[in-house]
Amino acid sequence: MLSTLSAGAAAAALLLGSASPTAPVRFGDDPPTGKITIDVATVNGSGCRPGSAAVAVAPDNTAFTVTYSEYLAQVGGASKPTDARKNCQIALNVHVPQGFTYAIAQADYRGYASLASGVKGLEQANYYFQGQPETARKAHSFTGPYDTDWQTSDQTDLDALVYAPCGEERYFNINTEMRLDGTGADPKTTSFMAMDSTDGSINTLYHFAWKECPARK
């Protein structure tokens, strides 16, 4: 289990600044001004052993980041067959100020890929609240030759957002996957796709959509 990470202004500003050079986008109501913390309850998957993922909340409560340090899929060369597919499942316990609830309006995924000619890459993800149906998986494809940074965005229409139940604590689950197919490519050439970072410069960014809960009678 990872330690609780609060909205540390300096660290979060560095993380979020590197992920989005423009001003943060706001969805739904204005975010609460109270403190938000996120506990990483569980981490499972071939792409994220326990201790290899970290979370930080934006100082203005508009978003949070997840940074991975060992999330990489590869094929060719000395790669093993199991290296071609990597996945990560994270359960987060998000503590929000009383009277507010949240949904995830947009998720931005980033990384680096070096794909030889003929290699196909896939990044896909979905997320859901504990006890609620999973969202549809949104997939993004890449085709070699490719050797540069990559970024994808999954956005949900405001009228289709699924909010956490008011007044209840539910784990927020994130499932991600990267997969490479080297069929037809030179087996001696190593190709890889990464969503990892050792210095915090590459991360995934989840944008909150906030809503005030109805007053209890």
Side-chain angles (χ1 to χ4, degrees):
M1 181 180 298
L2 302 181
S3 58
T4 302
L5 294 175
S6 61
L14 174 63
L15 288 169
L16 295 169
S18 65
S20 178
T22 58
V25 178
R26 293 193 176 186
F27 301 90
D29 296 343
D30 288 337
T33 57
K35 185 177 181 180
I36 297 171
T37 60
I38 300 179
D39 299 328
V40 181
T42 60
V43 177
N44 294 292
S46 56
C48 58
R49 65 175 179 82
S52 67
V55 180
V57 183
D60 61 0
N61 291 340
T62 60
F64 70 91
T65 61
V66 179
T67 306
Y68 304 94
S69 61
E70 300 178 1
Y71 203 168
L72 180 146
Q74 64 180 28
V75 293
S79 305
K80 301 176 183 178
T82 54
D83 293 335
R85 177 186 177 274
K86 296 294 181 178
N87 74 300
C88 183
Q89 301 180 11
I90 301 180
L92 302 177
N93 195 2
V94 183
H95 306 274
V96 304
Q98 187 174 3
F100 285 87
T101 185
Y102 72 94
I104 299 300
Q106 180 173 313
D108 301 325
Y109 298 92
R110 302 170 66 243
Y112 189 90
S114 178
L115 308 179
S117 179
V119 175
K120 297 179 180 179
L122 176 73
E123 176 272 320
Q124 60 181 353
N126 71 331
Y127 27 86
Y128 61 96
F129 292 105
Q130 177 185 8
Q132 294 184 339
E134 294 189 14
T135 60
R137 275 187 172 268
K138 297 184 179 180
H140 304 271
S141 299
F142 303 83
T143 302
Y146 189 102
D147 189 18
T148 188
D149 296 328
W150 62 266
Q151 179 170 339
T152 64
S153 292
D154 300 339
Q155 187 166 347
T156 303
D157 293 336
L158 292 181
D159 57 358
L161 291 175
V162 177
Y163 287 85
C166 283
E168 299 181 21
E169 285 198 352
R170 301 279 187 92
Y171 285 162
F172 178 65
N173 298 282
I174 300 172
N175 296 327
T176 57
E177 177 184 352
M178 291 188 301
R179 185 186 305 171
L180 296 184
D181 181 359
T183 304
D186 183 357
K188 297 180 181 179
T189 302
T190 301
S191 297
F192 69 88
M193 186 171 181
M195 198 190 298
D196 67 353
S197 174
T198 57
D199 61 1
S201 62
I202 298 177
N203 49 61
T204 59
L205 178 64
Y206 296 88
H207 301 265
F208 286 121
W210 290 102
K211 184 171 66 175
E212 291 192 44
C213 295
R216 293 186 178 182
K217 297 180 179 180

